[in-house]
């Protein structure tokens, strides 16, 4: 039985200093990742003018937001395998081309249907960019330099998630179409940088497991849909009809429950097939033997937990800033710049710490600071919170994001064999995406449930009848708080608007503490990862003898 022993890196035993051109290539790759992350958060800010301009309904608006994320999550494993077979740089560049073309399509879309289609295909481009960017970093750098490279890569993700709302708010003052149009020149710059500064990635030999690809896409796509839409359509029973084109699902069980069950069946069948192909050494889409590597297995558990805690708060924080504190879209985005600044500071600090502080310790420092920042945010949350206190909490949180997001990737991929770098990156990207989707779903459900119940209690306490209180709280929740300014402008409902702001603040406070708790759990999960650089043994099983 053949074995490959890895120690400290995936390239070779030497730790050569990377050339200047490789660092420039890393900047290009990181900017490419920033593009796809920004496109997740920027749409939340520009959605209102999109609805008004294209005259679309709430169903189409929701699909404009979610089609990108669903397509993105569904294809990460497949694109990771394509990266191994055809070269990470080639797949990265194809993904950029798809992303750029569909950004143009979205920017000129005359109606909601074409915009939804553009967002869906844009998600395919994003799914080609994220895992291949990881594979490119992993193959280009080794030793101390790789930890520094992942610090830059990870800090870019944290900063981009924060900058997205700011950029969206600024561009929305001109036209929502610029939120997509700005991608086109940036895609050209990124592509040029990758072509000039990064060498072509070696291509592997093999084939694509078509059935496995279909099963993984169905399983991950349906899982992403269920996690994102559970609050909208109901987890068990249908609370809101699902309409797609001329099709309407209004009966029970909920389409979300059906999607979850179908996802479980598809993913179970996928795992069984991949395990069988691995035993036969027959080129699986996802080599499950990678999970025999302790750092890879436990690192992905931490990645999932980090996604749960990090992305949920980003989904609800802009709503609180805009509708409870009366910030404009641009001001809300500006407040999140503190998060981006913290993330970039962590990136710089990580450079000097790499030689003396192991990646695992940096992850632990990052998770602690993230949790601390969220606790501070919960403590200072009020309808009149000072902007500098919010900025301080987000700055501490951003420093944590900068450390944890980057270095957890370094841990996950540290001992993955070179020929499986794309697969390993795809799995790690899927864990991150699954964690973020689950975190957003859980935190949005918690936030809006708290908002509804707390506001109803406040309104009934102010003398409103139960029916009127439920009607008003329902209107606030369904509008995600956007109706509050209108309520405030009417003297008859001004008191209800004040109560809604207080209820939103309570929702944010509880959400902050829950996210902090999830990050503490992620910190606890790091105890199962060896603090030393593990020497991994990756076994290639011999083909099973034919029964014939």
């Amino acid at each position: 039985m053949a074995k490959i022993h890895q120690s400290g890196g995936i390239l070779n035993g030497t730790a050569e200093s990377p050339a200047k051109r490789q660092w420039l290539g890393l900047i290009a790759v990181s900017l490419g990742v920033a593009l796809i992350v920004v496109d997740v958060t920027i749409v939340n800010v520009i959605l209102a003018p999109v609805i008004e301009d294209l005259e679309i309904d709430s169903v189409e608006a929701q699909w404009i937001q979610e089609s990108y994320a669903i397509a993105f999550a569904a294809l990460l494993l497949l694109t990771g395998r394509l990266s191994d077979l055809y070269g990470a740089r080639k797949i990265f560049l194809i993904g950029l081309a798809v992303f750029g073309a569909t950004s143009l399509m979205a920017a000129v879309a005359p109606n909601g249907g074409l915009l939804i289609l553009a967002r869906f295909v844009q998600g395919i481009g994003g799914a080609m960019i994220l895992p291949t960017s990881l594979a490119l970093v992993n193959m280009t750098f080794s030793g101390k330099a790789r930890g520094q490279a992942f610090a830059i890569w990870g800090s870019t993700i944290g900063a981009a998630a924060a900058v997205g709302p700011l950029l969206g708010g600024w561009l929305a003052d001109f036209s929502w179409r610029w939120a997509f149009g700005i991608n086109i020149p940036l895609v050209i710059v990124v592509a040029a940088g990758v072509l000039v500064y990064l060498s072509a990635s070696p291509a592997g030999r093999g084939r694509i497991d078509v059935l496995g690809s279909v099963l993984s896409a169905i399983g991950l796509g349906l899982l992403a849909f269920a996690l994102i839409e559970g609050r909208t359509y109901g987890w068990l029973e249908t609370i809101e009809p699902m309409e797609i084109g001329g099709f309407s699902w209004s009966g029970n069980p909920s389409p979300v429950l059906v999607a979850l069950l179908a996802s479980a069946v598809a993913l179970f069948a996928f795992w069984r097939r991949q395990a069988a192909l691995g035993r036969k050494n027959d080129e699986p889409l996802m080599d499950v033997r990678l999970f025999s590597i302790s750092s890879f297995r436990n690192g992905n558990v931490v990645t999932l937990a980090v996604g749960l805690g990090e992305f949920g708060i980003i989904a609800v924080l802009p709503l609180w800033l805009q509708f409870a504190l009366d910030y404009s879209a641009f001001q809300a985005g500006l407040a999140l710049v503190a998060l981006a600044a913290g993330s970039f500071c962590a990136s710089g600090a990580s450079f000097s710490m790499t030689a003396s502080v192991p990646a695992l310790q940096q992850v632990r420092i990052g998770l602690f600071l993230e949790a601390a920042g969220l606790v501070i945010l919960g403590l200072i949350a009020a309808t009149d919170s000072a902007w500098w206190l919010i900025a301080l909490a987000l700055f501490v949180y951003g420093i944590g994001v900068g450390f944890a997001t980057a270095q957890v990737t370094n841990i996950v991929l540290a001992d993955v064999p070179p020929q499986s770098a794309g697969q390993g990156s795809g799995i790690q990207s899927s864990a991150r995406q699954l964690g973020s989707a689950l975190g957003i779903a859980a935190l949005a459900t918690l936030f809006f449930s708290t908002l509804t119940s707390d506001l109803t209690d406040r309104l009934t306490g102010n003398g409103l009848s139960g029916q009127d209180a439920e009607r008003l709280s329902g209107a606030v929740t369904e509008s995600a708080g956007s109706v509050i300014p209108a309520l405030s402008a009417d003297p008859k409902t001004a008191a209800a608007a004040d109560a809604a702001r207080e209820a939103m603040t309570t929702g944010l406070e509880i959400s902050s503490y829950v996210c902090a708790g999830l990050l503490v759990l992620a910190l606890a999960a790091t105890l199962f990862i060896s603090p030393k650089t593990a020497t991994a043994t990756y076994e290639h099983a011999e083909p099973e003898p034919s029964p014939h």
Side-chain angles (χ1 to χ4, degrees), residues 194-205:
V194 170
L195 282 170
V196 171
Y197 296 117
L198 290 180
S199 303
S201 307
R205 298 178 61 184

Side-chain angles (χ1 to χ4, degrees), residues 165-459:
L166 172 65
L167 186 61
W170 177 61
L171 292 172
D173 289 340
F174 302 97
S175 170
W176 63 265
R177 297 182 185 276
W178 277 110
F180 299 110
I182 198 173
N183 290 337
I184 299 165
L186 294 176
V187 161
I188 295 171
V189 170
V190 170
V194 170
L195 282 170
V196 171
Y197 296 117
L198 290 180
S199 303
S201 307
R205 298 178 61 184
R207 63 178 181 82
I208 296 292
D209 174 19
V210 177
L211 178 57
S213 300
V214 172
L215 288 172
S216 71
I218 291 174
L220 291 172
L222 288 175
L223 182 58
F225 164 80
L227 293 176
I228 292 168
E229 305 292 1
R231 188 179 63 86
T232 301
Y233 299 121
W235 294 101
L236 300 176
E237 297 182 351
T238 302
I239 59 176
E240 182 77 22
M242 184 182 75
E243 298 177 1
I244 303 175
F247 173 77
S248 178
W249 184 316
S250 56
N252 289 320
S254 164
V256 169
L257 178 59
V258 173
L260 281 173
L261 293 174
S263 171
V265 171
L267 291 177
F268 177 74
F270 171 73
W271 181 273
R272 290 290 300 271
R273 177 173 174 79
Q274 300 312 295
L277 290 176
R279 286 194 299 269
K280 297 176 182 178
N281 207 23
D282 193 17
E283 303 183 54
L285 181 70
M286 182 184 77
D287 194 342
V288 299
R289 294 171 297 175
L290 290 173
F291 289 94
S292 66
I293 302 173
S294 176
S295 58
F296 182 80
R297 179 180 64 253
N298 296 328
N300 271 302
V301 172
V302 175
T303 297
L304 183 68
V306 167
L308 275 168
E310 280 186 355
F311 288 90
I313 198 68
I314 296 296
V316 299
L317 185 58
L319 300 176
W320 176 69
L321 291 171
Q322 290 182 70
F323 303 127
L325 271 61
D326 202 27
Y327 284 24
S328 68
F330 179 74
Q331 288 172 324
L334 195 60
L336 293 175
V337 169
L339 195 163
S343 187
F344 277 122
C345 286
S347 176
S350 183
F351 259 78
S352 59
M353 292 170 63
T354 302
S356 56
V357 182
L360 183 59
Q361 283 299 104
Q362 292 193 40
V363 169
R364 289 171 177 166
I365 292 170
L367 291 173
F368 174 79
L369 289 174
E370 283 188 79
L374 290 175
V375 169
I376 294 172
L377 182 63
L379 290 172
I380 60 98
T383 54
D384 58 352
S385 294
W387 68 267
W388 64 270
L389 285 174
I390 298 171
L392 174 64
L394 293 179
F395 182 73
V396 173
Y397 174 71
I399 293 176
V401 170
F403 280 123
T405 302
Q407 296 305 330
V408 74
T409 301
N410 195 12
I411 291 169
V412 170
L413 300 180
D415 301 310
V416 173
Q419 70 273 18
S420 298
Q423 286 194 49
S425 301
I427 294 169
Q428 202 259 348
S429 298
S430 297
R432 182 190 299 274
Q433 198 67 12
L434 177 59
S436 65
L438 186 57
I440 290 170
L443 263 293
T445 299
L446 174 65
F447 178 78
F448 287 113
S449 297
T450 303
L451 171 60
T452 301
S453 61
D454 190 78
L455 180 54
T456 300
D457 291 343
R458 290 176 186 274
L459 292 175

Side-chain angles (χ1 to χ4, degrees), residues 443-488:
L443 263 293
T445 299
L446 174 65
F447 178 78
F448 287 113
S449 297
T450 303
L451 171 60
T452 301
S453 61
D454 190 78
L455 180 54
T456 300
D457 291 343
R458 290 176 186 274
L459 292 175
T460 53
N462 289 341
L464 257 67
S465 66
Q467 185 176 359
D468 288 340
E470 289 180 5
R471 179 180 56 81
L472 267 174
S473 63
V476 171
T477 301
E478 289 173 11
S479 69
S482 62
V483 75
I484 292 177
L487 294 174
S488 184

